[in-house]
Amino acid sequence: MLARHRPDVLLTRTVPDAAEAAAWRRATARDAPLVVVLLAPDAGAGREGAGQPAQDAAEAHLTVLRLTDRAVTGRELYARALALAELRWLTAVTAPTLSSRLAAVRAGRGSVALVGAGVVNLITALRLLRSGHRVTVYDSAPDPRSGAHWTAYGASRGGGDGRMFTLTETDGYHGNATTGPIPFLRPLKDNGWCLAEPSALGEEERGWVRDSARIPPWLAGAYTDDVLLLNRMSQPLWDELLSTEPELARDVGLREGILRLYTDPAELRAQIARQQALGAARRVLSPEQVARSHPALSYAHTAGILAGGVEVTGFTVQIHSFLARLIGLLEREGVQFHWEKPVDGLHTDANGLPDGLRCAEGLVHADHYVLSPGAYGGELLRGTAAHGLIHGVVGAWLTLPNLLPRLVHSLKISRPGHLAKDTNVTVTTAPDGKPSLVVGSGYGWTGADPAHIDPAQLDTLHTAVEDTAALFFPEAFEDARADGLLERSRRHCVRPWTASSLPVLEIAPNAHGGLVVVTGGHNTGGFAQAPVVAQAVATAVHGEAHPMHVRYHPDRLRMFYRRR
């Protein structure tokens, strides 16, 4: 049967016998990985009729894995087995190419040209600098410290002045059996995600949406688990960075601790379990306890809005101040910045290998190239595996005064079924020194072009964010509307998103014996994962492996569906 159907993966309660395993191997490509997952802890223990245990399968070049948790049964058992098999199969498929590319990297601490000056690439630049590399950064936008209008920038500087780290900040956003797939093609006014003019969406966008919709729940769960793993890896790296580079923590509004609020009791129960499983939960609060511990939320309790809350591990910063400090530090350490210098794409040699960056002034050469353009990759990523994977999703922002009694901890507000269902409220200080709250929320898909925004749909998104702000902070909202702050602070940013909700890290060779590395697609969590992305990039240019290289492989979803 195995030889006839030629599966990549077999889920079974007994190990195939030697003859069947050998026939399976002969029927498939010699280099094709074959994975067996045993669903019983004692499978293959020599039961009559089961053939020899795992060693004969190993001789037939099968990877044999065993689930050992006896408490896992039913659908969860099969979901876990499939996820385990997919990751092991993916590792086997990608390892030879990744290993050869890393092994070919020339030794030494050479030059690195980075394209994109968002927070992910700037943290990467710092990591590379500390590793002994000569670093140059190119960005099409003005210097973030120049005071240019917010529309001149990408998501890091163009959005509101707040960013958050939590262990679920980069997350999976797939629909489920109840809600169905994410409604990317449905307009916001109909409670969908589409912010683009319908006429601007072509076959590329429709194919991207199809890719998103066809991901089975178990695979979406596996992707989310990998994202959460890398969030956990990022946490100690943030601690280390802010400790070893104390300048980055000064005068940037750094605040420890996040309060997650829920309006739906079922969502609250599910998220309590999730945050506790991740080790993120510090304290679970009833609505009354929320009001007592956080008096600024007394109105929400009195109005009966709250189901409860969870205080969790995390922190927030004022991202504009943080970027200014980070850029200043990099400059003083010798990093060269080229502002308002667009890079049009990768130049290739006669063998098709990248040998430079195309700019208006000519070619830029370096030992390594790191591309992190956010939602603005376009032609820059043409020729890479990441090309076409990253689309734009808009988030809307506004600012409120932080009135007495002031909010002390930044918030995450969950309103299931609402257009602004996930809202961040960051406690900040405005440029004029006044205590402020920066409110950001919303999901508005633009397709491949981040400029394809329907103004009417954007107004719908802003209205949804304003509705949450008014619901939880009615007095502050009215003050902001009366003095014009609400209108003045209206802004949006376009975040990089993938169909799989799985970020991208691509490693490819260049013509100089170095690498081209592409990072992106972190949806709402680029800031949260910036240190672990930097670590993955730095290990790659040093010729070393990192868990992100496989888990964020740009072909992961395509290989799952198109292998053979």
Side-chain angles (χ1 to χ4, degrees):
M1 183 180 71
L2 292 174
R4 183 169 68 253
H5 292 287
R6 297 182 294 119
D8 295 307
V9 169
L10 173 67
L11 273 58
T12 180
R13 295 188 180 276
T14 59
V15 181
D17 64 31
E20 188 172 20
W24 182 18
R25 166 53 63 197
R26 288 194 299 271
T28 57
R30 293 180 64 86
D31 62 343
L34 302 177
V35 178
V36 177
V37 180
L38 302 175
L39 299 176
D42 57 352
R47 200 170 67 245
E48 185 177 354
Q52 294 300 310
Q55 61 264 25
D56 281 345
E59 289 171 7
H61 305 288
L62 310 182
T63 298
V64 180
L65 311 171
R66 179 178 282 112
L67 288 178
T68 58
D69 188 348
R70 296 175 183 271
V72 178
T73 59
R75 288 179 180 269
E76 185 182 354
L77 174 69
Y78 289 100
R80 192 173 295 186
L82 286 165
L84 179 64
E86 186 269 342
L87 182 58
R88 183 58 63 93
W89 180 85
L90 172 75
T91 302
V93 170
T94 59
T97 300
L98 283 171
S99 296
S100 64
R101 289 177 180 175
L102 295 175
V105 173
R106 289 179 179 171
R109 301 293 186 263
S111 59
V112 186
L114 295 94
V115 182
V119 68
V120 173
N121 237 17
L122 291 176
I123 295 291
T124 301
L126 180 59
R127 178 88 184 209
L128 293 169
L129 177 70
R130 293 293 182 242
S131 299
H133 293 277
R134 301 185 306 280
V135 177
T136 307
V137 180
Y138 293 81
D139 197 276
S140 59
D143 187 329
R145 301 163 298 180
S146 68
H149 195 267
W150 63 268
T151 55
Y153 298 102
S156 290
R157 180 60 178 82
D161 192 14
R163 287 298 183 277
M164 183 176 291
F165 173 85
T166 68
L167 289 177
T168 55
E169 203 60 25
T170 305
D171 206 346
Y173 285 84
H174 295 281
N176 54 45
T178 302
T179 63
I182 295 174
F184 284 109
L185 293 172
R186 188 193 309 158
L188 266 72
K189 64 182 180 63
D190 297 328
N191 210 34
W193 278 44
C194 188
L195 195 72
E197 293 274 5
S199 61
L201 302 177
E203 182 52 35
E204 177 184 351
E205 281 83 6
R206 296 182 190 283
W208 191 93
V209 172
R210 287 195 295 272
D211 280 345
S212 178
R214 66 179 178 170
I215 298 173
W218 68 263
L219 185 58
Y223 289 172
T224 298
D225 286 345
D226 286 341
V227 169
L228 297 181
L229 167 68
L230 288 153
N231 283 347
R232 293 196 298 274
M233 290 178 65
S234 198
Q235 184 178 20
L237 295 176
W238 266 119
D239 294 341
E240 179 185 10
L241 180 66
L242 296 176
S243 174
T244 59
E245 308 284 353
E247 176 181 348
L248 297 181
R250 287 200 299 269
D251 301 323
V252 296
L254 177 64
R255 287 179 178 268
E256 296 285 347
I258 308 294
L259 174 62
R260 305 181 68 100
L261 297 177
Y262 300 92
T263 59
D264 178 75
E267 177 75 2
L268 171 64
R269 289 191 296 272
Q271 288 301 319
I272 289 172
R274 190 184 199 209
Q275 297 299 321
Q276 289 175 338
L278 289 169
R282 292 179 173 175
R283 187 166 60 136
V284 175
L285 303 177
S286 68
E288 294 78 12
Q289 290 170 321
V290 168
R292 283 199 303 271
S293 299
H294 305 273
L297 298 167
S298 295
Y299 173 81
H301 168 51
T302 303
I305 298 166
L306 296 178
V310 186
E311 293 176 351
V312 299
T313 300
F315 68 90
T316 54
V317 299
Q318 294 172 216
I319 188 64
H320 301 166
S321 302
F322 183 83
L323 289 176
R325 284 205 168 273
L326 180 52
I327 293 166
L329 171 62
L330 291 168
E331 282 182 335
R332 289 192 300 276
E333 298 280 348
V335 173
Q336 294 185 350
F337 284 89
H338 297 272
W339 302 111
E340 300 181 85
K341 299 292 183 185
V343 175
D344 301 323
L346 290 166
H347 184 271
T348 56
D349 67 6
N351 297 316
L353 290 173
D355 65 352
L357 303 173
R358 293 198 312 269
C359 299
E361 294 81 1
L363 291 182
V364 172
H365 297 285
D367 294 311
H368 306 282
Y369 308 100
V370 179
L371 314 180
S372 186
Y376 301 85
E379 289 301 304
L380 173 63
L381 298 183
R382 187 169 295 280
T384 70
H387 183 251
L389 295 185
I390 300 172
H391 286 195
V393 171
V394 171
W397 299 83
L398 60 85
T399 301
L400 303 177
N402 192 0
L403 302 179
L404 295 173
R406 291 196 178 105
L407 188 66
V408 175
H409 288 86
S410 297
L411 309 177
K412 294 187 77 71
I413 300 172
S414 174
R415 299 180 68 191
H418 192 265
L419 195 56
K421 69 186 189 69
D422 299 307
T423 299
N424 287 1
V425 180
T426 306
V427 178
T428 70
T429 301
D432 61 5
K434 294 180 179 178
S436 300
L437 304 176
V438 173
V439 183
S441 185
Y443 307 105
W445 179 61
T446 69
D449 188 340
H452 282 162
I453 295 176
D454 179 347
Q457 296 292 336
L458 183 59
D459 280 343
T460 299
L461 190 64
H462 280 295
T463 299
V465 179
E466 290 172 4
D467 180 72
T468 294
L471 182 65
F472 280 82
F473 306 100
E475 186 179 350
F477 184 83
E478 289 304 322
D479 278 12
R481 177 154 52 188
D483 75 359
L485 174 62
L486 196 63
E487 185 64 30
R488 293 194 308 272
S489 66
R490 247 195 187 202
R491 55 178 61 191
H492 65 270
C493 65
V494 185
R495 302 164 296 200
W497 211 280
T498 64
S500 63
S501 290
L502 188 72
V504 170
L505 189 135
E506 178 180 355
I507 298 171
N510 66 37
H512 315 307
L515 297 176
V516 175
V517 182
V518 181
T519 72
H522 300 98
N523 51 71
T524 61
F527 175 82
Q529 290 208 348
V532 73
V533 172
Q535 183 187 59
V537 173
T539 57
V541 302
H542 296 159
E544 301 166 6
H546 188 279
M548 188 180 286
H549 297 167
V550 171
R551 285 169 168 81
Y552 286 2
H553 194 289
D555 288 329
R556 184 171 181 177
L557 180 60
R558 288 184 287 218
M559 285 189 294
F560 176 78
Y561 279 110
R562 300 174 191 172
R563 177 79 173 175
R564 288 208 184 275

